[in-house]
Amino acid sequence: MGSLYVPTGQLKGSNHSIVHALARHFLAHGGTMWRNTIVDEIITEEGVAKGVKLTQDSVMFPGQTIMAKHAVVSNVGARKSLELIGEDVMMQADGRLAVKMKYYDNASRSSSVTIWAMKQAPQWKSMAHDPYIMKSDFYYKGKNSLDEWKSWFVAERCGDPERSFSGWWEMLMPANLDPTQASREGYVTFRLEEIMPFWWRDVDGNSHPEKWDDMKWELVKKREDELEEYAPGFKDSVLDVLAISPLDLWRGNMASEYGDGVGGAFPGSQGYLDRMPYRMPIKNLYMCNSVWPVSLSWGATGYNAACVVAEDMGIRKQPWWIHRPGEWMLKN
């Protein structure tokens, strides 16, 4: 295992800090946030998005209709948005896009996550020839050849839990970059995300997503066995462990359909320019999930959606709205 430079960013105190900062800023400027307010339908009239109808289970305003002044923005992804808009309505607006939304692929990029609390950072064997790995906060582990990647890809698409294991691992060691993420005793967290198929099929081809509740702990053991090879002493350093399956992610957030937290898989027809548009063919309706770039903690999709809405409202050019994230990153 060696280190890999990836141009990503980590905020001091972890990336959820940006969410709290945005929320404080929004509220300070008169914004209102309704939590646990579940939308049942996006209301459209004559090709224009007018508002939303809430479910009877909504904590705020159950069963009521909320009309929008300027825009309706959906952050629940392509498939769920189609359900809220209505397939017939979407077909009239853009048949090709409606079909794309109906069959949008989330299931082939499910995330299985393990987070360990540890006495110390993993002591990688590879530091003997690459000392910088002990300072790195971000790691990837992959396959060693094109044939191995091909085998993994086929297994992942076929729902084979054995052959799809230990392919794409994304690992994060926040305390290496941000000392505030370590406890007073020096304890740290180590996070591993693995891309796996949501549908695990048996020999008869039947799928059993409920098996994730047990299988996630089997995966923890297998991951610990492999990490012990890369970093001897890993198991002895573990204080506690949290296992999160794709099913857990979906249960906690309906936008993470099939345990996909980035708005859908992004190979082939769902990559780059062929994802969902920010401006939908229904006037005043916008997307900020299943778009490009993928939805991550950097908040890029929300920022882009806000820019598009502001442009259409004619209020984008403001003396205070001068930030250019790309320029800032190049300078810093």
Side-chain angles (χ1 to χ4, degrees), residues 39-269:
V39 174
D40 187 51
E41 177 187 355
I42 294 175
I43 300 170
T44 60
E45 297 177 3
E46 298 180 353
V48 181
K50 296 290 188 177
V52 296
K53 186 176 188 297
L54 305 180
T55 68
Q56 292 295 339
D57 296 327
S58 178
V59 173
M60 302 289 289
F61 314 111
Q64 294 190 31
T65 296
I66 310 296
M67 303 307 290
K69 291 182 179 180
H70 303 290
V72 176
V73 183
S74 175
N75 187 43
V76 294
R79 291 164 56 95
K80 190 65 178 179
S81 294
L82 178 64
E83 179 184 322
L84 297 178
I85 296 165
E87 190 172 337
D88 292 342
V89 173
M90 195 64 221
M91 285 295 292
Q92 292 179 6
D94 187 328
R96 177 186 177 277
L97 187 59
V99 173
K100 185 177 184 67
M101 294 170 73
K102 183 175 182 177
Y103 297 103
Y104 211 79
D105 176 16
N106 292 74
S108 66
R109 203 219 171 270
S110 300
S111 292
S112 176
V113 181
T114 306
I115 304 173
W116 290 273
M118 307 188 69
K119 298 175 185 177
Q120 62 177 0
Q123 302 298 296
W124 306 111
K125 287 194 296 186
S126 62
M127 64 182 171
H129 60 81
D130 185 6
Y132 184 75
I133 195 171
M134 295 307 297
K135 298 181 180 180
S136 176
D137 70 317
F138 203 81
Y139 321 90
Y140 275 108
K141 185 196 80 71
K143 296 297 187 180
N144 294 318
S145 70
L146 187 59
D147 286 340
E148 287 185 5
W149 272 119
K150 181 180 178 181
S151 177
W152 171 83
F153 183 82
V154 171
E156 201 258 351
R157 288 298 185 274
C158 293
D160 186 328
E162 296 298 327
R163 292 191 300 130
S164 63
F165 174 75
S166 189
W168 182 3
W169 283 7
E170 180 181 278
M171 294 170 281
L172 186 64
M173 190 75 226
N176 279 1
L177 194 63
D178 179 7
T180 67
Q181 295 300 290
S183 71
R184 293 178 180 178
E185 301 87 351
Y187 299 160
V188 296
T189 59
F190 178 70
R191 170 189 172 277
L192 184 153
E193 178 182 1
E194 180 171 4
I195 305 306
M196 301 196 76
F198 180 81
W199 301 111
W200 285 24
R201 306 190 185 280
D202 59 25
V203 293
D204 297 321
N206 300 313
S207 58
H208 303 278
E210 71 282 356
K211 289 182 63 177
W212 273 113
D213 290 330
D214 295 324
M215 192 61 69
K216 65 183 181 183
W217 295 108
E218 295 181 26
L219 289 173
V220 169
K221 183 179 183 304
K222 292 175 68 174
R223 287 171 186 150
E224 289 181 346
D225 289 341
E226 187 162 336
L227 287 165
E228 184 72 22
E229 296 181 17
Y230 301 138
F234 182 93
K235 292 182 180 181
D236 290 337
S237 185
V238 172
L239 296 167
D240 202 355
V241 61
L242 173 65
I244 306 171
S245 74
L247 188 57
D248 292 330
L249 291 172
W250 194 2
R251 286 166 173 160
N253 184 355
M254 68 178 182
S256 298
E257 193 171 25
Y258 299 109
D260 179 301
V262 297
F266 39 87
S269 64

Side-chain angles (χ1 to χ4, degrees), residues 325-332:
E327 295 177 6
W328 184 92
M329 184 174 179
L330 290 174
K331 292 179 182 178
N332 292 275

